[in-house]
Amino acid sequence: MTTNSQVIYLKDYQVPVFTIETTDLDIRIGDEYTSVVARLKVKRNPASNNPSSELALQGGKDIKLQEVMMNGLILDASSYDLEGSVLSVHQCPDTFELTTECLIQPQLNTSLEGLYKSGGMYCTQCEAEGFRNITYYLDRPDALSIFTTRISADKTTYPILLANGNPLEHGDLDNGEHFAVWHDPFPKPAYLFAMVAGDLVRQDDLFTTQSGRQVDLQIFVEAHNSHKCDHALSALKRSMLWDEQKYGREYDLDLFMIVAVDDFNMGAMENKGLNIFNSDCVLADPATSSDATFERIEGIVAHEYFHNWSGNRVTCRDWFQLSLKEGFTVFRDAQYTSDTYSAAVKRIEDVTLLRTHQFAEDAGPMAHPIRPASYMEINNFYSVTVYEKGAEVVGMIHTLLGAELFRKGSDLYFDRHDGQAVTTDDFVAAMADASGIDLSQFKHWYSQAGTPTLEVTDTYDAANQQYCLTIEQSTPATAECQEKSPFHLPLRMALLDAQGLEMPLQLQTGGMVQGHNCVLNITQARQTFIFEGINEHPIPSLLRGFSAPVKLNYAYTQTQLLLLASKDQDGFSRWEACQRLLIEATRQAMSATTDYHLDEALVTMLRSSLVDEALDPAMVAKLVQLPSEAYLAETQATVDVDQIHTGRETMRLAIAMALENELLACYQRCHNIGSFSQTGEAIGQRALKNTCLGYLNTLNKASYQTLAQTQYALQANMTDVGAALSILIGQKNADLSTPLLADFYQRWQGDAQVLGQWFAMQAGANLRGRLGHVKALLEHPAFDLRNPNKVRSVVGSFMRSAINFHAADGSGYEFVADMVLRLNASNPMMAANLAKPLGRFKRHTLGRQQLMQAQLQRLHQTELSKDVFEVVSKALTNR
Ligand code: TRP
Ligand code: ZN
């Protein structure tokens, strides 16, 4: 049990009684204590009708208040209260200056919230509520203030001193210290505050905005990482240009800084003018980073940059509105990636993430709408729902409005609310006002959790040449809402004839037809759409581009799916048809008692993709890859982890046996492409060849093991090296990988990013009985429990292997619960994230349900942080 588990409700929102017009911070970094003097210009908020004269400022449990002054006079102890961690100042006038002095010890801060030390540098993470660990403050996103920050520290140890905005002055002090003063002219909430002090090197670039202003771009990293900055800098410039062209959004300061830190709970943080990144999410070079890492970094750099408008210039009124900035910004970074690289491949990746992880969250005890109605700990709501489903909801608005009206809507939103802290209602209102489209029913997406299912049936009337589609929607009950109102959603579709050609569409009512494509406007629980002039029974290509975050059932025949899988012009739908076929075949493989025989039509379809040199190789790789075990679990009513694993392995082997020659030919063709390059074509070829190499190595033949060993030995690039090594680790014979793992470690032990991959490859191996190996990795000298990246590499990767996490004896659950307990006090946010999968026991087989609940009970009986308590208690209540 825990003591502090108060629930915060959206309905209780009230505007702040006071506002802080300016915030002057004087931060003196010392070895034992760091002193923080905060001088706040406070004013009564005219928007509040609360007559109270009490100013309540939040603080953290580890800050030591030294002194409180009002208008320059020291307040005696009777003029304020320090209860819990709230500082209440009594009898405040309408306008005054409040100065506090606090002492903090960042070097002891392991939660990585607030000011902390990572390696030799000081840095901050203030979202969501970290600023209160630095000083007493109105730590809420609707309290906007103009910040000036003075930092002083030892000059030799911390030669670089950074904060938000523009540098005002800097200089030397007598005792070997120096100082710098920074001023941010844009009012911002405290969660966007940042500062850094450390020994860092800088790489510079320049960007000229569309209006001709020059912006200095600077990346700060530790000296040994100076060769890993180029990619992030060029991604940043591409993002800046794209946001001007696509959204008309220009950068607004003369300086944009990025700092890389090794210890960071999440990917990166959009602090105004001073983004702070997890080293793993910004540092890259071809020798040490895979193609996937390059892609991920570009997406995150874009994401944080886009927050400058969607998040910073227009921010959130309260944390229930988190998806206002996160959903919109994920949508924007996905648009950026699809405009810059392959749109179909990006869509497939995003949909896979959503359907695997967000659908699971939506069906579990932590299910919440993209705008939650309540929370205990906001850190638990930086979720796939708020981010990824939030982006899907913005994407549906984009589909319903069309690109042009959506842009009118985003312009109106930014113009109307620039400098404000607003709500998702304000966002939807701007979209509705600019387009004239009624989005009132659409708003259910913000308040109702759960994944809707669409049941689609059809009839064809040859005599009248009419085709009718009937769509029924339903959404399962979730803890916060039992009875769901129907959602408003766009269903993009086309009709294909027997040759796979798109038919011309004539829809009676209920949707928009654009050429041979159409978007059905789904608003009711059950709805029928009639197409006229249809001269043969069509094959419907439904939910093109995954136009809504739903599950769609339609009784496709195998023949229909085969046609869609080879002919559908919509890249996403083509892949989707292929996946449906593979899922069905895997289902058969799961229940096959004797030797499983792969359907010849399926083999033909896979073969035609593998030999088609005109297709984008990245797309071919996606087409021939089996759905993950995690996604297969989503398609089962009761998850049987062993059956899924065995069935999928059977399928992999069957495909490799049936297509051995084609896989090898495809491997050779994509392997021999000359020197390393990072064009989309070359990246796609690497993805495809490594997919082929994986299949070939299910055959357990020495020649393919040699192929993988040779690819490793070539050391051509990290994509190929990592893939070859992972494939060899996945072989039952450990002798194949042991020497290579030692070699890999020898080569890269000095590089934290590569070492992370070394841990992840071993901990994530999808072979039974890996727990002992994983526990040994925790004892490795390079492992560090205080470093979230290492914890993710080892514990996170382990949990992704279902046969290990869900081992039938419960050892995986016990191990994870142990790790939750070890991290509970030191880093509650990380601990809670590890605990979340333990809560999703409901859909597992009975034995596993009991074992998972036993570990949750065990956690429940200990003193838990708010973060972990919320996850555990909801898991035990919301079954
Ligand atoms: N706003 C950040 C992003 O999405 C998220 C983030 C980074 C965060 N670090 C955090 C959220 C720490 C909570 C706590 O870009
Ligand atoms: Zn974000």
Side-chain angles (χ1 to χ4, degrees):
M1 271 299 295
T2 183
T3 37
N4 185 8
S5 55
Q6 206 198 331
V7 181
I8 321 273
Y9 294 93
L10 167 60
K11 62 175 166 45
D12 294 342
Y13 173 81
Q14 291 198 321
V15 297
V17 183
F18 290 94
T19 60
I20 303 177
E21 300 207 308
T22 61
T23 301
D24 279 270
L25 299 171
D26 182 357
I27 299 171
R28 298 171 192 225
I29 291 175
D31 283 342
E32 195 184 355
Y33 287 103
T34 291
S35 134
V36 179
V37 174
R39 191 158 51 92
L40 314 176
K41 274 218 170 80
V42 187
K43 249 196 177 152
R44 179 165 284 282
N45 183 3
S48 166
N49 49 28
N50 183 338
S52 165
S53 62
E54 186 124 319
L55 171 68
L57 301 178
Q58 286 94 12
K61 65 175 181 8
D62 294 324
I63 62 181
K64 298 178 181 67
L65 182 64
Q66 299 297 106
E67 190 168 271
V68 186
M69 295 200 292
M70 191 183 279
N71 297 326
L73 298 173
I74 295 178
L75 289 183
D76 62 48
S78 68
S79 311
Y80 61 88
D81 266 326
L82 202 50
E83 236 174 80
S85 34
V86 177
L87 170 64
S88 300
V89 185
H90 311 313
Q91 293 178 340
C92 294
D94 287 353
T95 309
F96 61 101
E97 191 180 275
L98 187 84
T99 306
T100 58
E101 183 183 354
C102 298
L103 295 180
I104 54 177
Q105 295 186 285
Q107 68 278 15
L108 304 182
N109 178 353
T110 56
S111 70
L112 315 184
E113 299 174 79
L115 179 62
Y116 63 93
K117 237 181 145 177
S118 172
M121 73 200 271
Y122 286 84
C123 64
T124 52
Q125 172 54 41
C126 293
E127 189 178 4
E129 298 177 334
F131 191 76
R132 61 186 63 182
N133 298 324
I134 300 174
T135 188
Y136 289 94
Y137 203 73
L138 270 186
D139 192 2
R140 46 188 289 169
D142 60 350
L144 276 61
S145 185
I146 295 178
F147 282 71
T148 306
T149 308
R150 182 187 189 277
I151 311 167
S152 63
D154 182 79
K155 189 174 180 174
T156 6
T157 324
Y158 309 105
I160 302 286
L161 303 174
L162 310 173
N164 314 86
N166 304 309
L168 277 193
E169 51 173 314
H170 61 94
D172 290 343
L173 302 165
D174 34 20
N175 40 6
E177 298 202 335
H178 69 150
F179 76 97
V181 182
W182 292 81
H183 176 74
D184 180 0
F186 291 94
K188 64 168 178 289
Y191 84 87
L192 291 172
F193 170 80
M195 59 151 285
V196 166
D199 188 0
L200 302 166
V201 297
R202 189 175 106 190
Q203 185 161 325
D204 288 16
D205 213 327
L206 267 182
F207 180 80
T208 307
T209 68
Q210 59 185 3
S211 71
R213 281 187 314 102
Q214 294 254 323
V215 181
D216 285 314
L217 312 177
Q218 305 178 340
I219 300 200
F220 294 86
V221 299
E222 288 173 85
H224 63 270
N225 287 323
S226 59
H227 60 293
K228 289 192 178 187
C229 299
D230 292 351
H231 176 59
L233 268 177
S234 62
L236 175 61
K237 288 185 287 180
R238 282 191 289 277
S239 307
M240 294 177 86
L241 183 63
W242 182 90
D243 212 16
E244 293 182 344
Q245 292 173 342
K246 191 85 169 194
Y247 281 87
R249 297 295 123 199
E250 196 174 311
Y251 187 62
D252 49 14
L253 286 163
D254 301 329
L255 174 61
F256 186 86
M257 297 174 283
I258 286 178
V259 180
V261 309
D262 285 343
D263 302 293
F264 205 73
N265 275 342
M266 306 259 289
M269 181 60 211
E270 70 265 21
N271 317 300
K272 183 79 187 186
L274 177 57
N275 285 1
I276 295 185
F277 275 65
N278 186 326
S279 298
D280 279 2
C281 297
V282 63
L283 302 174
D285 79 311
T288 59
S289 319
S290 67
D291 295 332
T293 301
F294 273 85
E295 183 192 321
R296 194 167 59 102
I297 288 175
E298 181 146 8
I300 297 174
V301 169
H303 179 99
E304 305 312 329
Y305 174 71
F306 297 154
H307 267 316
N308 190 55
W309 276 95
S310 48
N312 300 3
R313 288 287 287 259
V314 182
T315 194
C316 300
R317 187 192 74 172
D318 52 71
W319 290 121
F320 298 101
Q321 318 298 327
L322 182 57
S323 200
L324 173 75
K325 74 178 178 77
E326 296 306 345
F328 188 23
T329 305
V330 171
F331 174 74
R332 274 151 55 70
D333 82 57
Q335 272 187 312
Y336 165 79
T337 302
S338 29
D339 284 359
T340 313
Y341 301 98
S342 160
V345 170
K346 173 65 175 162
R347 193 63 190 138
I348 289 168
E349 288 169 352
D350 287 350
V351 172
T352 301
L353 172 71
L354 186 86
R355 289 202 294 212
T356 321
H357 297 106
Q358 199 280 323
F359 282 16
E361 180 164 80
D362 238 347
M366 287 292 289
H368 53 276
I370 63 169
R371 185 197 56 207
S374 68
Y375 60 77
M376 287 181 207
E377 170 53 64
I378 187 58
N379 280 340
N380 288 329
F381 290 80
Y382 286 78
S383 63
V384 272
T385 298
V386 164
Y387 276 65
E388 266 65 41
K389 187 176 182 178
E392 293 299 319
V393 170
V394 175
M396 286 191 285
I397 297 180
H398 187 274
T399 305
L400 289 169
L401 268 59
E404 217 167 291
L405 290 177
F406 183 87
R407 170 64 195 270
K408 267 185 80 182
S410 72
D411 283 351
L412 180 60
Y413 170 71
F414 288 128
D415 289 352
R416 202 184 250 180
H417 299 298
D418 190 7
Q420 298 177 1
V422 303
T423 64
T424 55
D425 288 335
D426 294 318
F427 179 81
V428 177
M431 289 291 168
D433 292 351
S435 66
I437 290 174
D438 181 2
L439 294 173
S440 41
Q441 185 191 353
F442 184 83
K443 291 206 315 193
H444 292 323
W445 284 108
Y446 288 89
S447 55
Q448 298 185 155
T451 307
T453 295
L454 304 186
E455 296 292 345
V456 183
T457 51
D458 59 353
T459 56
Y460 177 61
D461 176 350
N464 292 306
Q465 309 241 309
Q466 274 188 348
Y467 177 68
C468 286
L469 265 181
T470 298
I471 290 141
E472 273 182 85
Q473 61 165 299
S474 62
T475 307
T478 45
E480 94 307 336
C481 173
Q482 295 300 308
E483 286 285 314
K484 314 256 160 140
S485 309
F487 287 101
H488 177 190
L489 61 97
L491 185 82
R492 194 186 287 284
M493 55 158 295
L495 298 177
L496 304 192
D497 67 17
Q499 274 67 54
L501 296 172
E502 292 175 347
M503 301 166 84
L505 297 178
Q506 241 178 289
L507 175 66
Q508 277 191 354
T509 58
M512 306 168 275
V513 173
Q514 296 154 331
H516 291 179
N517 247 284
C518 136
V519 176
L520 302 180
N521 215 26
I522 311 287
T523 52
Q524 294 158 32
R526 183 192 160 93
Q527 225 167 332
T528 296
F529 298 86
I530 302 168
F531 294 88
E532 307 275 10
I534 303 292
N535 51 23
E536 63 175 87
H537 197 311
I539 301 157
S541 167
L542 298 165
L543 205 68
R544 284 189 150 187
F546 200 69
S547 60
V550 299
K551 298 178 182 172
L552 185 144
N553 295 327
Y554 172 83
Y556 281 113
T557 65
Q558 197 199 35
T559 320
Q560 289 176 323
L561 286 175
L562 285 165
L563 185 93
L564 291 169
S566 59
K567 294 282 167 52
D568 200 321
Q569 271 112 82
D570 182 85
F572 171 81
S573 293
R574 183 175 175 184
W575 171 81
E576 175 73 347
C578 200
Q579 289 286 296
R580 282 179 190 264
L581 287 164
L582 293 171
I583 290 169
E584 184 46 39
T586 309
R587 214 195 306 272
Q588 287 164 18
M590 283 178 207
S591 43
T593 39
T594 52
D595 268 0
Y596 175 67
H597 186 73
L598 201 56
D599 191 299
E600 208 39 58
L602 195 59
V603 176
T604 308
M605 179 201 74
L606 294 171
R607 179 184 294 119
S608 64
S609 296
L610 278 175
V611 300
D612 189 345
E613 295 188 37
L615 271 177
D616 172 8
M619 191 66 189
V620 178
K622 296 286 178 207
L623 286 171
V624 302
Q625 271 161 24
L626 289 179
S628 67
E629 290 181 19
Y631 184 55
L632 288 168
E634 276 304 299
T635 67
Q636 285 192 324
T638 299
V639 180
D640 184 332
V641 169
D642 303 301
Q643 197 187 47
I644 289 174
H645 179 73
T646 314
R648 189 174 180 277
E649 291 304 302
T650 305
M651 268 293 282
R652 276 168 58 72
L653 183 61
I655 291 174
M657 292 200 311
L659 292 166
E660 184 173 354
N661 295 336
E662 288 84 354
L663 288 163
L664 182 58
C666 187
Y667 176 85
Q668 303 291 14
R669 169 160 57 86
C670 294
H671 187 56
N672 301 316
I673 54 166
S675 61
F676 178 76
S677 93
Q678 286 176 301
T679 61
E681 178 80 5
I683 292 169
Q685 282 166 328
R686 281 191 287 276
L688 178 53
K689 89 170 178 205
N690 288 318
T691 301
C692 294
L693 189 62
Y695 271 121
L696 291 169
N697 271 290
T698 60
L699 295 171
N700 198 21
K701 284 192 184 173
S703 59
Y704 299 132
Q705 290 161 355
T706 308
L707 210 56
Q709 286 162 328
T710 312
Q711 179 171 315
Y712 176 86
L714 206 56
Q715 293 286 319
N717 56 75
M718 194 46 90
T719 307
D720 286 354
V721 168
L725 187 47
S726 289
I727 287 167
L728 290 167
I729 294 170
Q731 300 291 297
K732 297 221 163 67
N733 176 3
D735 294 345
L736 290 164
S737 55
T738 307
L740 301 191
L741 277 167
D743 173 80
F744 191 92
Y745 183 78
Q746 281 309 313
R747 281 174 198 268
W748 299 114
Q749 54 181 308
D751 186 306
Q753 277 77 52
V754 191
L755 223 45
Q757 298 180 57
W758 184 80
F759 278 115
M761 284 188 279
Q762 299 177 75
N766 202 12
L767 297 169
R768 285 180 200 279
R770 295 286 290 184
L771 182 57
H773 196 85
V774 169
K775 285 183 175 166
L777 288 174
L778 294 182
E779 303 303 320
H780 192 281
F783 182 81
D784 179 0
L785 194 66
R786 284 164 311 181
N787 178 252
N789 291 349
K790 294 272 157 61
V791 175
R792 276 185 282 261
S793 288
V794 176
V795 188
S797 302
F798 168 79
M799 293 170 78
R800 250 169 272 129
S801 167
I803 46 169
N804 286 296
F805 174 49
H806 294 283
D809 61 359
S811 55
Y813 307 142
E814 186 182 15
F815 168 68
V816 170
D818 287 346
M819 296 309 293
V820 171
L821 290 175
R822 284 176 70 181
L823 285 161
N824 174 60
S826 59
N827 190 334
M829 193 172 165
M830 280 292 295
N833 276 328
L834 291 182
K836 281 180 181 177
L838 269 181
R840 297 193 194 127
F841 53 79
K842 196 171 64 184
R843 288 180 47 253
H844 283 275
T845 45
L846 202 60
R848 290 197 170 95
Q849 285 194 29
Q850 288 164 349
L851 292 165
M852 291 168 94
Q853 288 182 77
Q855 293 305 322
L856 289 162
Q857 294 288 1
R858 182 182 149 220
L859 291 174
H860 199 64
Q861 278 152 21
T862 56
E863 181 79 31
L864 293 177
S865 61
K866 227 202 305 179
D867 309 51
V868 178
F869 178 77
E870 178 169 34
V871 171
V872 169
S873 61
K874 285 185 174 172
L876 290 171
T877 321
N878 302 338
R879 343 193 170 175

